[in-house]
Amino acid sequence: MAVSSHARLLSPTFDSRSSDPLLAVASAHRRNTYGRFAHEPKSVKGTVASHGLSSFPIFKFPPNFVRQLSNKARRNCSNIGVAQVVAASWSNNSSPSSSAAAAAASAVNTVDAAAAAAVPTASDAVALEGCVGNNESLKVEEKGLVDSRTSVFDSDGSVAIHAGERFGRGRADDAITTPVVNTSAYFFKKTADLIDFKEKRAVSFEYGRYGNPTTIVAEEKISALEGAESTLIVASGMCASTMMLLALVPAGGHIVTTTDCYRKTRIFIETMLPKMGITATTIDPADMNALEVALKENNVSLFFTESPTNPFLRCVDIKLVSEMCHRHGALVCIDGTFATPLNQKALALGADLILHSATKYIGGHNDVLAGCISGPLKLVSEIRNLHHVIGGALNPNAAYLIIRGMKTMHLRVQQQNSSGLKMARLLEAHPKIKCVYYPGLPSHPEHSLAKRQMTGFGGVVSFEVDGDLTTTAKFIDSLKIPYIAPSFGGCESIIDQPAIMSYWDLNQTERLKYGIKDNLVRFSIGIEDFEDLKADILQALDAI
């Protein structure tokens, strides 16, 4: 939009001829909108007070004014200024003349430093507070362009802090995208409102660690996908796991977990929980007899595992495990990060809680850290109460990225499911690959179970190269498309050698205790075209 379009928007009485982009603002931009004048001639002051902006004499900027504006400044005038002009002109409680005056003052505020250099007096301008949809906005006093709510301020510094916010802001509920609410605390208009909140007659987040409007949207979106009453979203998947364990397992309690799981989860269970007297039984993901024994011999509080697991993609019979644990009064929490809420519904299968590292498929762009726990309101509230004490709150900007990522999750996961299955079949048939771990393959130990409880098998394929540590590293280094990195589930393909990436601090013998061989590879397939990935894998295998 050209800068000159501002003149047409301000008022039909304004002259919009030639290159007068901010016509009728020439006087208003020098006025301090909070009741003080900056070097204003008395004749102009009187005109404003008596007749309003529509009675201003027509002032024109110099013919070269537009040329003096930088391209950036002109864009700012076009995009931001028009919005402010329209906002002011639509305000419900302002007369036509006062709306135009507010619009003119707002438009001046959009000219950036380059424009200010061209028109030195613009440095005196302060934008009038005003918001679309706020019935209290733009109440202009008779004596001039004074907002009665901000006339309490004598300092431009105070105005810069509070204008547009302290006394209410515009609506955001008609925006297509969810606004990012960057605040660390929430205020109460008066002490009586605070007391109402404390006595649970009113609702507020009170403090940023306790909640955020942007974060709530992400939580509700995940709850809807999982069919859960409530969801808590926090700063990372590990934060979600550790807080869940601390909140739901009492001191001296007992948990059951599985041999194959994320290493940092195992470290927490093995090193931190014993400090609270919490013990653990570790079983094979498919060993239901071992689970039954553990339930009978211990006062088990919780069964916690991944399904599929990391990195061998083992699957747990969620329905059977839930039935067994519930008979003994134990809760069941499934980490469904590898499955996603689209490929598997753990709550519908009987689990009490479903946990995700939202960093992975839910965020889906390798650009955000987050974790979430979904389930019944009672259980999630217990975890949330501990979260309020411990912290680990998700930044609202990260919550926005989760919301944005989820909008394309079904498209991404569909592509990754398809490419994952094709890649697993390709690798299994290749002579330089010894073994492939993927629940979509008939050779997988829980293939039949995976078909029953999953609608897709995900985009992670683990496999063993026919070679040693060095040969496997050479294969990985020969790849052109995937990044050598941790994590998975993003748009970009990622590959790593667990013996080096996650277990390098252990010697070979210690790694083998967890089944981590030197030739093991975990391939997280992104959303690239499968034929490109196929060609890359084949050329890398040819290189070894």
Side-chain angles (χ1 to χ4, degrees), residues 128-163:
L128 182 66
E129 176 184 4
C131 309
V132 178
N134 185 345
N135 291 334
E136 296 299 319
S137 65
L138 293 176
K139 290 183 178 178
V140 180
E141 293 186 359
E142 286 286 334
K143 60 184 179 180
L145 299 174
V146 181
D147 189 320
S148 60
R149 297 162 303 170
T150 50
S151 60
V152 298
F153 299 126
D154 291 325
S155 164
D156 284 348
S158 298
V159 169
I161 292 169
H162 291 292

Side-chain angles (χ1 to χ4, degrees), residues 206 260 286 494:
E206 183 184 9
D260 189 33
I494 285 176

Side-chain angles (χ1 to χ4, degrees), residues 259-260 263 266 311-312 434 437 464 467-469 498-500 502-520:
T259 51
D260 189 33
R263 189 184 178 202
R266 181 187 295 116
F312 294 108
K434 294 182 66 175
Y437 304 96
E464 294 173 10
D468 57 11
L469 184 81
I500 299 176
S502 303
Y503 291 85
W504 193 243
D505 59 314
L506 304 180
N507 61 43
Q508 188 180 50
T509 302
E510 291 171 327
R511 292 197 294 265
L512 287 173
K513 291 179 182 178
Y514 303 106
I516 306 298
K517 299 179 182 179
D518 290 345
N519 61 345
L520 178 66

